[in-house]
Amino acid sequence: RVSSVLGGIACGAVAATLSHPLDTIKSCMQGDVAEERYGSLTATTRRLLAEPGGPLVFFRGWGFRTLRMSIAICVIGELRYTLAPLFFPG
């Protein structure tokens, strides 16, 4: 079970890191419903890159998201072991 938890943490970290930049762009666009600050995908990307911090702005909130995804993957993995006998007996 320890290897399953460690695997869940590693998979959560990789998944969060790979998907976080696009999630940041999406969140900015969703938060700006009137499109006053952000517009299209490319316009939002350019605007974020122009902010102080450059490319690092795409990783704001990375720690929290990584923690959340790692915990979710670990929970799902444990549920798989717990619920499998109930759904697939014998």
Side-chain angles (χ1 to χ4, degrees):
R1 298 262 190 208
V2 172
S3 62
S4 177
V5 170
L6 292 176
I9 292 169
C11 289
V14 170
T17 301
L18 293 176
S19 63
H20 198 73
L22 285 175
D23 190 62
T24 300
I25 294 168
K26 173 198 63 97
S27 296
C28 289
M29 292 172 71
Q30 283 179 332
D32 184 29
V33 177
E35 294 185 9
E36 294 172 358
R37 183 174 167 96
Y38 303 107
S40 67
L41 177 72
T42 54
T44 303
T45 303
R46 284 191 201 111
R47 183 161 187 124
L48 288 172
L49 278 172
E51 290 184 12
L56 292 178
V57 300
F58 292 107
F59 291 94
R60 286 188 220 151
W62 174 86
F64 175 75
R65 187 163 186 263
T66 300
L67 178 65
R68 184 175 49 92
M69 287 184 77
S70 294
I71 290 170
I73 290 174
C74 288
V75 167
I76 290 169
E78 287 303 310
L79 285 173
R80 178 184 53 148
Y81 291 120
T82 306
L83 297 177
L86 296 173
F87 288 108
F88 306 104

